[in-house]
Amino acid sequence: MDGISLLTITVLAVFVGFEVVSKVSSTLHTPLMSGANAIHGIILVGAIIVAGQAADPLVLAVALLAVVLATANLVGGFVVTDRMLEMFRGRRDREGPR
């Protein structure tokens, strides 16, 4: 597959992903983020495997970039999920026992 085709697929995937996520109601974001975190964990493992088997320096550089971005996305997803779950806790739960 040539570079223009890959770029076209990437741009279309970004637009479709944005439209799908923007239409999700706020009550469904926490379960959606949990599923997304699981997917990003699989992507991270795949990127690590590709980086470990890379023979070409360019492939290794792209694979390491994928590892860094997947890690940032995974950690960010867990942070956002934790903050959203914090919003659903009551005031008494946040203050702790007396």
Side-chain angles (χ1 to χ4, degrees), residues 53-67:
Q53 296 180 352
D56 184 24
L58 180 63
V59 173
L60 180 62
V62 172
L64 291 177
L65 178 65
V67 168

Side-chain angles (χ1 to χ4, degrees), residues 2-4 6 17-18 30 34 37 41 45 48 54-55 69-70 72-73 81 93:
D2 63 334
I4 298 295
L6 292 174
F18 178 76
T30 301
S34 297
N37 287 340
V45 170
I48 291 170
L69 293 176
N73 208 352
T81 302
D93 292 339

Side-chain angles (χ1 to χ4, degrees), residues 9-77:
I9 291 170
T10 302
V11 169
L12 289 175
V14 167
F15 284 133
V16 169
F18 178 76
E19 286 299 316
V20 168
V21 171
S22 67
K23 303 293 187 244
V24 174
S25 68
S26 60
T27 57
L28 293 177
H29 272 283
T30 301
L32 181 67
M33 287 299 295
S34 297
N37 287 340
I39 292 169
H40 291 254
I42 294 168
I43 291 170
L44 177 60
V45 170
I48 291 170
I49 290 171
V50 170
Q53 296 180 352
D56 184 24
L58 180 63
V59 173
L60 180 62
V62 172
L64 291 177
L65 178 65
V67 168
V68 169
L69 293 176
T71 302
N73 208 352
L74 182 66
V75 171

